Amino acid sequence: MNDDSDKERYGHNQAASEAHQYWSAGQPPPLPKLGLERLLQELIGRSQEIIDTEQQLHRLLDAVIAVASDLSLPDTLRRITQLAADLAEAKYAALGLLGPDGVDLVDFITVGIPGHQRAKIGDPPRGRGILGVLIDLPVPLRLDNLGDHPASTGFPAHHPPMGSFLGVPLRVRGEVFGNLYLTEKRDGGTFTERDEQLIVALAAAAGIAIENSRLFDVTRRREAWLTAAGDVTKSLLAGAETEETMRLVVERASTVAGGGASFLLLNDADGSLSIRAAHGENTAVLLGTTYQLDQKRLSERQAFLTEGIVDGPGISERFGGPSVLVPLVVGNVVIGALAIVRPPRAEPYSEADMHMVESFAGHAALAVQFSRQAADRQRLAVLEDRDRIARDLHDLVIQRIFAVGLGLQSIGMNIDNAAQSSKLSGLIDDLDTTIHAIRTSIFSLQQQEDESTSLRSEALGVVTEATSALGFEPVLTFRGPVDTLVPAAVYADLLAVLREALSNAARHAHATHVEVRLSVDAGQVTLEVEDDGSGVATDAKTGTGTTTMRTRAERHGGSCGLSARDDGASGTVVVWQVPVN
């Protein structure tokens, strides 16, 4: 046996002998001095730690349940920030969201700093200094004092002092979504390893909750886009006009995209695109504005983020938020584009947003094209009906009137009475005038609504404009090749004279009947405007209008005169003549 065994056995025997003596005297032996009090204190301390750990686990479980109870992404993010502060007993907490580039913070949610104080601090951080360390290396970071770290850059003015720090990354599907930042332990101490473990566990649960919120948000937005597309389709099936359909498209697009403005651009004949419909504040003034967009990019038929539409005329002064432009494609043809501009500092367009806008634009393109084709079919039906009426007038009415005129003319040759012969000749002239009036009506029926290049159509337009002022429609007749022999340089002056003569008949002569005769014969164009009004007094001074009409004739080597009617009745005849080659 060794010495230690002997000492231990000796000590035990001695202690037993002393205990026997105490019990023999009827007294309990004293407690051995083995540090029992210290052991009991350690036991109590360990028990309290177990209780605290259990309480923290309960709080963590409650926090996980609370995070998963809301599907609204903004509410979920704010709830996560508040729960992290409560779990780690931090005075201040923040959640920074990373942008698509994974470098800069695009949003910064804070807890513990009052709103008025945050406003004084200024713009939220973008991910520099200590915050940038956690972005560059997304692992938990725990510091006793922020100022001791080499990456610390200090705080801006009006920022509360902060010492202890705990940062934990938030991951969603393995990718860093943002970071949780906790500062200033409430008891004045520093964050412990247990605090770090709790926040890491909360961050793991928060990642799942964030993903669920994002999926719910995408589903909600997709439903809104589908509803908007359904509204456009319903309007189309209800037979809405093209303009109404386009207005509905931009209205729904702007509303679903979260405000801002939206523009519907359609192709022009020169290859450019012009705004045909717009929705949003101060967008009406941009209607008709023309843009030269990248046709190669449009031909790809995919939505793309763009600053081009924002930098266009009149738009950059009003809108500066994220913008997307998606081509409107029908079959294999790009008929235009839909541009949607969100308000400044709005959430950028995600890939899911791009797909939703593309789907909506597909419905919008079909609706616009279908409504335009329906309008074309309706216009074609009207033109066909008008063409049929014009053919009937030409083939039936004019031919019969002409035949009656020939019959009357042959009868007049056999009448010896001069008075009756003259009266019959007057009737024949009236029939001839009627034929010319019908031919003018035939021309107006065959004239397309958007055609305004010929002298006939321009003259018809001037006569139509004067109808409201006169109270009746003037009779307009044409003779000769008016559209081919009258040079374009004479157009403006001739039409201005016609407009002035009709205005005089309405304002001064108070006429009840006006005839307009436009003819080309013997190398000159002649415009005659005859009315049955009060006439021109012999001592009347030449007015400004008459002088202007004469000036317009003289500049082309012609003349203009006013005279009384040949039949002696009251009224005035304006004769404006200009030589033509």
Side-chain angles (χ1 to χ4, degrees):
M1 295 184 181
N2 54 32
D3 294 339
D4 292 336
S5 299
D6 292 341
K7 290 179 180 180
E8 182 179 355
R9 186 171 55 255
Y10 174 76
H12 175 72
N13 292 335
Q14 184 179 5
S17 176
E18 291 177 356
H20 179 71
Q21 292 176 1
Y22 277 98
W23 287 114
S24 298
Q27 297 179 358
L31 292 175
K33 298 179 181 180
L34 299 178
L36 183 58
E37 182 178 355
R38 179 176 56 83
L39 292 177
L40 289 176
Q41 290 177 351
E42 290 182 1
L43 179 60
I44 294 173
R46 296 274 180 96
S47 301
Q48 187 62 43
E49 289 181 4
I50 294 174
I51 293 174
D52 293 341
T53 301
E54 184 178 2
Q55 290 178 347
Q56 288 178 328
L57 290 177
H58 279 293
R59 290 165 56 194
L60 176 62
L61 180 60
D62 293 339
V64 171
I65 295 174
V67 166
S69 63
D70 200 337
L71 290 176
S72 172
L73 184 58
D75 294 340
T76 298
L77 297 178
R78 181 160 294 279
R79 188 185 296 268
I80 290 171
T81 310
Q82 183 64 59
L83 290 173
D86 294 340
L87 276 178
E89 297 181 350
K91 188 176 181 180
Y92 306 107
L95 194 156
L97 301 181
L98 292 175
D101 57 1
V103 176
D104 294 328
L105 298 175
V106 296
D107 198 4
F108 202 73
I109 302 168
T110 61
V111 169
I113 301 178
H116 66 277
Q117 185 175 2
R118 181 176 176 179
K120 291 181 180 180
I121 295 174
D123 295 334
R126 293 301 175 190
R128 305 296 181 264
I130 295 295
L131 306 186
V133 173
L134 200 59
I135 295 174
D136 296 335
L137 186 62
V139 294
L141 176 64
R142 183 159 44 93
L143 301 173
D144 292 341
N145 189 359
L146 281 169
D148 296 338
H149 196 279
S152 178
T153 57
F155 301 103
H158 306 289
H159 197 286
M162 296 180 179
S164 56
F165 173 84
L166 173 61
V168 174
L170 281 174
R171 298 181 184 272
V172 177
R173 289 189 176 182
E175 297 182 0
V176 177
F177 177 80
N179 295 305
L180 272 173
Y181 308 107
L182 306 174
T183 59
E184 285 297 292
K185 192 79 169 176
R186 294 173 185 172
D187 59 4
T190 60
F191 294 102
T192 64
E193 183 178 358
R194 184 175 299 279
D195 293 329
E196 179 180 329
Q197 293 173 351
L198 287 173
I199 301 304
V200 168
L202 176 65
I208 299 175
I210 292 172
E211 178 64 13
N212 291 337
S213 298
R214 292 172 65 182
L215 292 175
F216 174 76
D217 186 58
V218 170
T219 302
R220 181 181 55 80
R221 281 183 289 168
R222 182 177 290 111
E223 182 181 359
W225 281 111
L226 290 175
T227 302
D231 292 340
V232 173
T233 304
K234 290 179 182 177
S235 175
L236 173 64
L237 296 177
E241 299 290 339
T242 303
E243 298 296 328
E244 182 180 351
T245 300
M246 292 191 297
R247 285 196 299 269
L248 182 62
V249 168
V250 294
E251 178 187 350
R252 291 293 186 271
S254 178
T255 302
V256 177
S262 58
F263 306 90
L264 182 66
L265 301 93
L266 296 181
N267 291 339
D268 293 328
D270 59 355
S272 61
L273 284 86
S274 59
I275 296 178
R276 303 294 181 84
H279 182 78
E281 187 177 358
N282 299 326
T283 58
V285 295
L286 300 175
L287 292 175
T289 307
T290 301
Y291 296 88
Q292 296 292 338
L293 300 181
D294 188 353
Q295 294 294 331
K296 181 179 178 182
R297 193 72 183 271
L298 290 176
S299 63
E300 297 175 359
R301 307 186 214 174
Q302 293 181 346
F304 56 92
L305 298 174
T306 176
E307 298 300 325
I309 188 70
V310 177
D311 296 335
I315 294 183
S316 58
E317 294 83 1
R318 296 176 174 85
F319 311 100
S323 59
V324 62
L325 189 141
V326 54
L328 300 178
V329 183
V330 178
N332 295 322
V333 180
V334 178
I335 66 171
L338 176 65
I340 307 174
V341 185
R342 284 179 174 171
R345 295 188 178 181
E347 181 183 355
Y349 285 92
S350 64
E351 185 177 354
D353 291 329
M354 305 282 277
H355 292 310
M356 296 176 200
V357 175
E358 285 180 356
S359 178
F360 175 78
H363 289 81
L366 290 175
V368 171
Q369 184 69 0
F370 187 86
S371 61
R372 293 169 72 183
Q373 291 179 349
D376 290 340
R377 287 194 297 270
Q378 184 178 4
R379 186 162 48 248
L380 180 60
V382 172
L383 291 176
E384 289 179 348
D385 194 36
R386 292 169 59 180
D387 188 61
R388 179 185 58 79
I389 295 173
R391 287 197 308 269
D392 291 344
L393 288 174
H394 181 273
D395 297 339
L396 299 177
V397 179
I398 289 182
Q399 297 300 330
R400 291 183 179 181
I401 294 176
F402 189 73
V404 171
L406 289 177
L408 292 175
Q409 191 173 15
S410 63
I411 294 174
M413 295 175 63
N414 298 323
I415 296 178
D416 296 332
N417 190 317
Q420 293 181 353
S421 178
S422 175
K423 185 176 181 180
L424 190 59
S425 297
L427 293 175
I428 293 173
D429 290 340
D430 289 342
L431 289 177
D432 188 50
T433 302
T434 302
I435 290 174
H436 284 292
I438 294 175
R439 285 177 175 170
T440 301
S441 300
I442 292 173
F443 177 80
S444 63
L445 286 173
Q446 294 176 334
Q447 189 81 9
Q448 295 186 15
E449 295 179 358
D450 56 350
E451 184 177 351
S452 59
T453 57
S454 66
L455 181 57
R456 289 175 182 262
S457 61
E458 295 283 357
L460 282 170
V462 174
V463 170
T464 302
E465 291 175 3
T467 300
S468 59
L470 290 167
F472 58 87
E473 183 175 359
V475 177
L476 175 62
T477 59
F478 298 99
R479 290 180 185 270
V482 174
D483 290 330
T484 56
L485 291 187
V486 179
V490 182
Y491 271 29
D493 287 328
L494 188 150
L495 295 173
V497 170
L498 175 58
R499 189 175 285 107
E500 178 67 26
L502 292 175
S503 176
N504 289 337
R507 290 184 301 167
H508 306 302
H510 305 292
T512 60
H513 179 77
V514 177
E515 290 188 14
V516 179
R517 295 180 289 272
L518 181 59
S519 62
V520 174
D521 186 29
Q524 67 179 5
V525 56
T526 302
L527 173 66
E528 295 179 278
V529 181
E530 182 179 344
D531 64 70
D532 62 351
S534 58
V536 180
T538 56
D539 58 347
K541 296 182 180 180
T542 302
T544 304
T546 304
T547 302
T548 303
M549 289 191 290
R550 287 176 179 172
T551 302
R552 292 182 183 277
E554 291 172 355
R555 75 175 57 172
H556 301 289
S559 63
C560 177
L562 278 71
S563 61
R565 295 174 59 178
D566 295 337
D567 56 5
S570 63
T572 306
V573 179
V574 178
V575 180
W576 190 85
Q577 292 181 322
V578 170
V580 293
N581 296 327

